Amino acid sequence: MKIIMLGAPGAGKGTQAKRIADKCGIPHISTGDIFRANIKNGTELGAKAKSYMDKGALVPDELVCDLVVDRIQQKDCENGYILDGFPRTIPQAEALEAALNAIGQKVDFAIDIEVPDDNIINRMAGRRACVGCGATYHILFNPTKVENVCDVCGEKLILRDDDKPETVKSRLTVYHDQTQPLIDFYTERKVLAEVDGTQSMDKVFSDILEIIGA
Ligand code: AP5
Ligand code: MG
Ligand code: ZN
């Protein structure tokens, strides 16, 4: 099963993608997590990506597309995968489609998690992310058992550099301009499904399971 998570920054793509990946036993591939891991490890890709991410801008397509196309050809992707944060532009969606067409495959579901902009600004201030495994928490809606320590891997939690309110506003503008057109793109391909992301995390999860029939 090949699933794409769509939705604004903070809509809950990462939260849900992790749960679906666990449930279905397929990898969760988050381009944001890949870039953050590269920044943490001091790679050249990380340095390039950081300059865009800190402003709330998108990393250029040419730095993203090959990376994802390589990743989905790895052995653990044989039975499918969940893409979280990719594609985010029409050229990225076209690159993915071309790579899949070449091997006679297609995306099964593009799930759009809908959350109004006002809710998002409030959510982001309370988000905490694990530097170790990429797990995401919220100080009110999804707290860890021990304050500031990841439940999954025990690493320290951080407030992401791009979660400052001004940067979140830029990310939302970029989302509306460059990523929202993908909703039409995947509607035309008859794989789009929308979920109300303002519901509880459990309800959003069960709605998604119903869509994908898991
Ligand atoms: P990325 O890491 O993908 O960030 P994003 O898309 O902005 O999305 P987020 O990770 O911020 O939000 P999310 O939807 O995963 O929400 P979450 O589950 O954490 O990308 C970061 C940057 O990298 C981009 O800005 C760009 O620069 C670059 N980049 C990445 N991919 C790229 C690409 N393909 N092309 C170009 N550039 C790229 O949830 C948010 C919070 O809400 C959490 O605290 C969570 O606990 C809480 N929450 C979740 N669900 C609920 C709920 N139902 N009720 C209450 N709270 C909830
Ligand atoms: Mg995320
Ligand atoms: Zn962790």
Side-chain angles (χ1 to χ4, degrees):
M1 186 150 41
K2 290 177 281 304
I3 304 172
I4 291 173
M5 304 301 291
L6 295 175
K13 301 180 296 292
T15 301
Q16 299 298 335
K18 271 214 181 309
R19 293 179 72 167
I20 305 161
D22 286 348
K23 168 100 185 172
C24 300
I26 52 178
H28 165 212
I29 302 171
S30 156
T31 40
D33 287 353
I34 294 172
F35 291 137
R36 282 184 288 277
N38 274 276
I39 293 170
K40 192 182 163 210
N41 296 330
T43 70
E44 198 182 319
L45 174 66
K48 279 188 193 152
K50 189 175 189 325
S51 62
Y52 298 96
M53 291 169 76
D54 284 352
K55 288 184 290 200
L58 293 184
V59 175
D61 290 338
E62 57 271 25
L63 291 182
V64 190
C65 290
D66 292 350
L67 182 124
V68 175
V69 169
D70 279 353
R71 177 68 189 85
I72 61 178
Q73 282 162 8
Q74 287 170 26
K75 185 109 184 95
D76 64 336
C77 291
E78 255 172 18
N79 296 323
Y81 41 82
I82 303 177
L83 294 177
D84 159 15
F86 181 94
R88 267 174 135 96
T89 62
I90 295 283
Q92 290 181 18
E94 287 170 347
L96 175 65
E97 192 169 61
L100 289 174
N101 275 343
I103 49 172
Q105 296 185 355
K106 66 177 210 45
V107 166
D108 298 296
F109 300 100
I111 298 172
D112 175 36
I113 307 183
E114 286 277 331
V115 179
D117 288 6
D118 291 349
N119 297 35
I120 285 179
I121 310 233
N122 293 332
R123 265 189 201 183
M124 296 308 225
R127 170 161 64 181
R128 297 293 180 272
C130 173
V131 282
C133 70
T136 300
Y137 301 91
H138 192 282
I139 51 173
L140 301 176
F141 308 129
N142 184 20
T144 47
K145 295 193 183 81
V146 179
E147 203 179 309
N148 261 334
V149 177
C150 178
D151 288 347
V152 181
C153 75
E155 275 237 36
K156 205 175 70 179
L157 303 186
I158 53 150
L159 183 66
R160 269 170 47 178
D161 287 340
D162 58 350
D163 278 351
K164 295 190 290 276
E166 319 84 76
T167 316
V168 172
K169 284 191 189 130
S170 316
R171 287 162 63 198
L172 282 168
T173 307
V174 167
Y175 168 75
H176 292 301
D177 289 351
Q178 302 199 49
T179 308
Q180 227 167 11
L182 295 181
I183 295 182
D184 289 340
F185 183 94
Y186 287 110
T187 302
E188 280 164 22
R189 281 147 185 84
K190 303 194 173 18
V191 292
L192 188 89
E194 286 186 353
V195 176
D196 175 0
T198 64
Q199 309 174 99
S200 72
M201 291 178 201
D202 287 345
K203 180 68 171 76
V204 176
F205 184 52
S206 66
D207 283 1
I208 294 174
L209 292 184
E210 207 178 307
I211 291 164
I212 65 176

